[in-house]
């Protein structure tokens, strides 16, 4: 006997040609670049490139002599370094907008019960990235430079080059911003059935070793910054395991939930 109320796939008939997908991707990239340009214009007006440089230089200047300043060794460093910082600041400022464009691109291929949790994941991913960068700015850099300055001989004047300093801290911003996405990655891996929660628990010991290896590779060769990255990654991994267990249940399709109760 046939089911009087057959379940239908809500995505049936919504397939789009490949060229149309490319057009949609192009449009989303253009929207993202437009948002980036707006953020760059806003930051260029206030606080301005020099204001951004002064902000990110606070951690290292706290461990330099009162009248000491960062130096610009390269001929074009006074121009390109503030521009690089301005671009990075605009990218961070426009991160939620970029995340929204990604969601808008993939949303047509999601079921309604999946769309309900796509936006919270985007918001959480953006917040975790901001938390990781703030963790670097207000904790890691201060402790790291304080640790390094202890080994500076009194006969040596520590006057870092602004280009190398900016390059170092931007790499730390990127490393911590990506590392703090561990819960999101774990949840998505479980949701896509690539791994199970039990497998993640069994992999816990290997992940701890992996976290310390990654921290040793992407951070400067000091204990403070390596521990500051590895330990939060391990904690975020546990957070991801807990979140994956809850997220899979919360985003289960209605038909799956009904069959599970019968």
């Amino acid at each position: 006997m046939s089911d009087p109320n057959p379940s239908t796939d809500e995505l049936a008939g919504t397939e789009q040609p490949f060229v149309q997908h490319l057009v949609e991707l192009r449009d989303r990239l253009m929207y993202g670049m437009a948002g980036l340009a707006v953020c760059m214009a806003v930051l260029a007006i206030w606080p301005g490139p020099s204001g951004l440089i002064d902000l990110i230089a606070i951690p290292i200047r706290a461990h330099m002599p009162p009248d000491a300043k960062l130096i610009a060794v390269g001929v074009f460093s006074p121009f390109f370094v503030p521009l690089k910082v301005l671009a990075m600041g605009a990218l961070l400022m426009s991160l939620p907008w970029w995340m929204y464009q990604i969601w808008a691109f993939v949303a047509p291929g999601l079921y309604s019960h999946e769309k309900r949790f796509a936006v919270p994941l985007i918001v959480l991913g953006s917040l975790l990235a901001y938390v990781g960068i703030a963790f670097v700015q207000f904790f890691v850099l201060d402790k790291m430079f304080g640790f390094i300055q202890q080994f500076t001989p009194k006969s040596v004047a520590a006057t870092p080059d602004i280009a190398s300093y900016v390059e170092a801290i931007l790499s730390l911003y990127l490393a911590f911003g990506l590392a703090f996405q561990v819960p999101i990655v774990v949840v998505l891996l479980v949701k896509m059935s690539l791994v199970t929660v039990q497998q993640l628990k069994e992999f816990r010991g290997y992940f701890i070793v992996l976290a310390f290896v990654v921290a040793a590779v992407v951070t400067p060769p000091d204990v403070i910054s390596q521990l500051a990255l590895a330990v939060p990654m391990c904690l975020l991994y546990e957070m991801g395991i807990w979140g994956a267990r809850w997220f899979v249940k919360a985003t289960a399709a209605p038909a799956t939930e009904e069959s599970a109760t019968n």
Side-chain angles (χ1 to χ4, degrees), residues 53-228:
I53 291 289
D54 293 338
L55 176 64
I56 65 175
I58 291 176
I60 192 171
R61 293 199 64 184
H63 298 279
M64 296 173 61
D67 297 330
K69 296 182 179 180
L70 298 173
I71 62 174
V73 175
V75 176
F76 300 104
S77 294
F79 173 76
F80 285 113
V81 172
L83 187 63
K84 181 187 295 186
V85 174
L86 179 64
M88 179 58 69
L91 181 61
L92 294 177
M93 184 177 177
S94 62
L95 181 59
W97 176 248
W98 279 101
M99 298 290 285
Y100 170 77
Q101 297 305 322
I102 296 174
W103 175 83
F105 179 72
V106 302
L110 299 177
Y111 292 98
S112 58
H113 64 277
E114 295 174 330
K115 291 180 180 179
R116 296 200 312 268
F117 294 91
V119 173
L121 280 181
I122 292 174
V123 174
L124 179 60
S126 301
L127 289 177
L128 286 173
Y130 288 138
V131 170
I133 294 170
F135 184 62
V136 173
Q137 178 69 19
F138 298 107
F139 178 79
V140 177
L141 292 178
D142 179 68
K143 301 301 181 182
M144 182 180 71
F145 291 131
F147 177 79
I148 293 175
Q149 288 297 326
Q150 294 178 1
F151 296 91
T152 303
K154 295 182 178 180
S155 59
V156 176
T159 53
D161 173 42
I162 183 62
S164 60
Y165 172 75
V166 168
E167 182 178 352
I169 65 170
L170 289 185
S171 63
L172 285 176
Y173 288 161
L174 180 61
F176 277 77
L178 292 177
F180 273 56
Q181 302 301 310
V182 167
I184 305 298
V185 174
V186 170
V187 169
L188 292 178
L189 288 176
V190 174
K191 181 60 181 176
M192 293 186 294
S193 301
L194 296 178
V195 295
T196 63
V197 173
Q198 183 60 34
Q199 289 175 331
L200 290 173
K201 292 181 179 179
E202 296 173 354
F203 188 73
R204 181 183 288 118
Y206 297 99
F207 183 84
I208 294 175
V209 176
L210 179 63
F212 278 89
V213 171
V214 171
V217 172
V218 303
T219 61
D222 65 280
V223 179
I224 301 298
S225 58
Q226 293 177 7
L227 288 176

